[in-house]
Amino acid sequence: MGHVKEKISEMIIHATLLGATLEAAIEHCSIGPEGAAFANELYTNAGKFHAAANYSAMVRHLHDIAGGAVLASLSLLISPASAGTV
């Protein structure tokens, strides 16, 4: 059970960091000459990098926690044999 808590903690930290980069990008936005707001590129790029670098690990954690149920339920939706039964 400890490994599940560790994976959930990593997923929470990942989501928190992405939220923090979004908030920082908005907080440090620049205002254009016509009043349009432009998110701070440093924070948006940091968030995009963090998201892309850790995406596969987060999906792997999710699959590990959920077990085979995720893949089994998807195969039921995709399988032609299950047409009309779902």
Side-chain angles (χ1 to χ4, degrees), residues 72-80 82 86:
S73 63
L74 288 176
S75 66
L76 286 175
L77 294 174
I78 296 170
S79 172
S82 67
V86 177

Side-chain angles (χ1 to χ4, degrees), residues 8-20 47 49-55 58:
I8 291 172
S9 295
E10 286 183 28
M11 292 170 66
I12 290 170
I13 291 168
H14 177 72
T16 302
L17 286 172
L18 291 181
F49 175 81
H50 180 74
N54 294 296
Y55 177 78
M58 296 304 111

